[in-house]
Amino acid sequence: MFDRLKLFKCFSFTASRDWLYRCSFSNANLRSVSTDLGEGTLMHFWVPKFPTQSKPNLVLVHGFGANAMWQYGEHLRHFTSRFNVYVPDLLFFGDSYTSRPERTESFQASCLMDFLKMHGVHKMSLVGISYGGFVGYSMAAQFPNVVERLVLCCAGVCLEEKDMENGLFRVSDLEEAANILMPQTPERLRELMRFSFVKPARGVPSWFLSDFIDVMCSDYIEEKRELIHNILTGRKLSNLPKIKQPTLIVWGEQDQIFPLELGHRLKRHIGESAALVTIRDAGHAVNLEKPKDFLKHLKSFLIDSPSSFSPNH
């Protein structure tokens, strides 16, 4: 038994799972592409091996946590037959980075748009999870003629800096938020799991969590900390631009990172072109905790009845 435990500790389950996701993306007829955008910026995407002109385009944008493959791996196959699917690594995640000093979601959005235009994508629907929703909202605001439909999942774009002082969040300050979102110890990762899931996995050994941190959470730590600080510092709802695209807002009813109140606030801010759906018994990681419900709402909005979308459903 001791030898088997030593073997498990030497074998990276996280790296192996990442390799399996990489294979699944390749089997879904996507290929890994890195494009130099100039000025020290390199963007990595998964793009269609053979894009089809008659298909609409769908961009899937990840949040903090494991890379994009882990966040969308369970859903990918449901969309590749209907869409040309593009899955980016945001800057400082996966294989994307920049030497430029900008840390705003608007800069992330403009880099995604630069990449997509270079690869012939001029119209799209977009799904953004958590931080990816901040970037997706900025894309919709900056490029209203390009982003046609938008899904925002547990994306607290309507938060204000004063919300933290007023006790809306479980954390008391930015530093604590950054430490939880970028766990560097097994206990911090357990804390993130408790924040993200209604029913987090229990009894996960520390060596397993350490392996995940080594593979997924050890790069660009300071840059990611700056991204977190940037989305919260000085944020005011009055400065958030309005968007007019049909927008589906998806929220876990028991989200402890971005409470559901922010989903209602976002619905009010966007107005008649937005619908809010809440998923019961789900937290912030609703795409992982309730994948079937999450997928059902995405398919209904993006595939089944996009032309008859009712903001009041």
Side-chain angles (χ1 to χ4, degrees):
M1 180 66 186
F2 178 72
D3 288 341
R4 183 182 299 177
L5 186 60
K6 281 180 67 177
L7 174 64
F8 282 172
K9 287 184 177 180
C10 294
F11 176 78
S12 174
F13 280 95
T14 308
S16 300
R17 183 72 180 270
D18 200 61
W19 180 82
L20 288 172
Y21 274 129
R22 196 169 290 275
C23 290
S24 73
F25 269 53
S26 181
N27 290 337
N29 284 318
L30 300 184
R31 62 190 179 96
S32 172
V33 173
S34 291
T35 297
D36 187 346
L37 303 183
E39 297 185 315
T41 303
L42 188 79
M43 288 295 303
H44 173 264
F45 264 72
W46 287 93
V47 305
K49 291 177 182 175
F50 310 105
T52 305
Q53 277 198 331
S54 60
K55 286 183 181 180
N57 302 310
L58 178 63
V59 180
L60 304 176
V61 188
H62 67 85
F64 270 76
N67 63 36
M69 294 187 296
W70 289 58
Q71 294 185 33
Y72 286 109
E74 303 303 320
H75 313 294
L76 189 68
R77 59 190 171 86
H78 296 279
F79 295 106
T80 46
S81 63
R82 305 288 193 106
F83 296 91
N84 298 312
V85 176
Y86 295 81
V87 188
D89 284 334
L90 293 173
L91 297 173
F92 306 119
F93 297 87
D95 294 323
S96 296
Y97 65 89
T98 185
S99 58
R100 291 178 57 167
E102 290 94 332
R103 299 293 182 262
T104 64
E105 64 255 41
S106 62
F107 179 65
Q108 293 266 17
S110 64
C111 289
L112 292 192
M113 191 60 69
D114 287 346
F115 178 101
L116 290 163
K117 285 183 176 178
M118 290 171 74
H119 288 265
V121 179
H122 301 287
K123 296 282 185 182
M124 72 189 78
S125 295
L126 186 146
V127 179
I129 294 174
S130 192
Y131 178 65
F134 284 76
V135 178
Y137 192 97
S138 183
M139 286 184 74
Q142 289 186 69
F143 311 103
N145 296 323
V146 177
V147 179
E148 298 178 307
R149 305 174 71 75
L150 185 63
V151 179
L152 301 171
C153 179
C154 299
V157 294
C158 276
L159 66 84
E160 298 189 282
E161 185 175 14
K162 66 181 182 182
D163 288 329
M164 189 163 285
E165 301 165 21
N166 294 340
L168 180 64
F169 302 112
R170 289 277 302 275
V171 295
S172 57
D173 57 44
L174 274 172
E175 207 54 41
E176 186 182 357
N179 288 336
I180 291 171
L181 289 171
M182 298 186 304
Q184 297 301 301
T185 66
E187 188 43 51
R188 279 294 191 187
L189 183 50
R190 289 190 181 95
E191 189 175 10
L192 177 59
M193 292 163 63
R194 290 195 295 270
F195 269 94
S196 301
F197 294 88
V198 172
K199 295 180 179 178
R202 301 190 181 280
V204 182
S206 293
W207 62 263
F208 188 96
L209 299 176
S210 294
D211 174 54
F212 182 87
I213 292 166
D214 288 343
V215 176
M216 289 291 166
C217 308
S218 57
D219 293 332
Y220 301 115
I221 294 171
E222 191 52 42
E223 290 86 352
K224 288 175 181 173
R225 190 177 295 275
E226 292 168 1
L227 294 178
I228 293 169
H229 277 257
N230 190 274
I231 65 170
L232 290 166
T233 304
R235 197 174 190 94
K236 292 183 179 179
L237 183 57
S238 59
N239 294 334
L240 188 69
K242 297 267 189 176
I243 61 172
K244 296 181 179 179
Q245 294 94 328
T247 302
L248 178 65
I249 304 165
V250 182
W251 225 274
E253 196 173 52
Q254 299 182 51
D255 192 335
Q256 296 184 74
I257 291 180
F258 291 136
L260 179 56
E261 161 57 27
L262 292 175
H264 291 291
R265 191 185 293 178
L266 182 56
K267 167 73 176 77
R268 291 192 298 269
H269 182 75
I270 297 174
E272 293 184 355
S273 61
L276 170 65
V277 295
T278 58
I279 297 179
R280 297 180 60 187
D281 301 319
H284 186 68
V286 64
N287 56 310
L288 304 177
E289 193 163 31
K290 293 286 184 177
K292 290 182 180 178
D293 293 324
F294 178 69
L295 180 65
K296 178 185 73 174
H297 292 301
L298 261 59
K299 289 177 72 175
S300 176
F301 179 66
L302 295 170
I303 297 174
D304 297 339
S305 56
S307 60
S308 60
F309 169 62
S310 170
N312 299 312
H313 75 296

